[in-house]
Amino acid sequence: MNEQQKTELVAAALEARLMAHAPYSRFFVGAALLSTDGTIFRGANVENASYGLTICAERTALGAAVTAGHQTFSGIAIAAAGGVSPCGACRQVLAEFATQLPVVLVDTESNNAIREVDLAALLPDPFSS
Ligand code: THU
């Protein structure tokens, strides 16, 4: 992921966040996943009245990408208040496709400041069958 792609990925995650359906938590999350061919796939968290059925932004983006035929990725940006790190479930699901994925965390409360980590650091020794 080059600097221009990173900038575009952050912008896409911020836009995707605006589409979140989060009436229960009021915690809005946007994700943008960069395919190795340069295509960006967006996702937002989609909550449900039956709370446990909620889908995180990261997994929504991944589902869109895989459905479009993309299974190799070079980065993900995640935008939320506080620049939060992805949940454990999303780490495992992302690791299915890219154990070394660069992760860009965008803090919407701090002027969209970014923090960069690698999925391998967030999820060492992921499960694989
Ligand atoms: N959420 C995400 O979209 N991604 C994460 O990695 C963690 C949490 C969402 C789920 C729920 O809609 C809201 O944030 C509060 O947990």
Side-chain angles (χ1 to χ4, degrees), residues 21-22 25 27-30 44-47 54-58 78 84-88 90:
H21 175 70
S25 73
F27 192 78
F28 303 90
V29 185
N45 53 331
V46 182
E47 296 186 347
T54 292
I55 309 170
C56 290
E58 299 89 328
I78 303 161
V84 294
S85 207
C87 77
C90 287

Side-chain angles (χ1 to χ4, degrees), residues 23-65:
Y24 306 105
S25 73
R26 308 296 296 170
F27 192 78
F28 303 90
V29 185
L33 185 60
L34 180 65
S35 170
T36 48
D37 83 345
T39 310
I40 291 175
F41 294 92
R42 299 173 184 209
N45 53 331
V46 182
E47 296 186 347
N48 191 271
S50 178
Y51 297 168
L53 301 182
T54 292
I55 309 170
C56 290
E58 299 89 328
R59 280 178 280 161
T60 306
L62 184 67

Side-chain angles (χ1 to χ4, degrees), residues 87-120:
C87 77
C90 287
R91 296 177 195 198
Q92 175 65 33
V93 170
L94 290 168
E96 174 81 9
F97 295 93
T99 52
Q100 300 286 330
L101 190 70
V103 179
V104 182
L105 303 171
V106 188
D107 184 355
T108 59
E109 285 180 327
S110 296
N111 204 22
N112 299 332
I114 65 168
R115 178 165 69 95
E116 299 183 55
V117 293
D118 195 279
L119 185 60

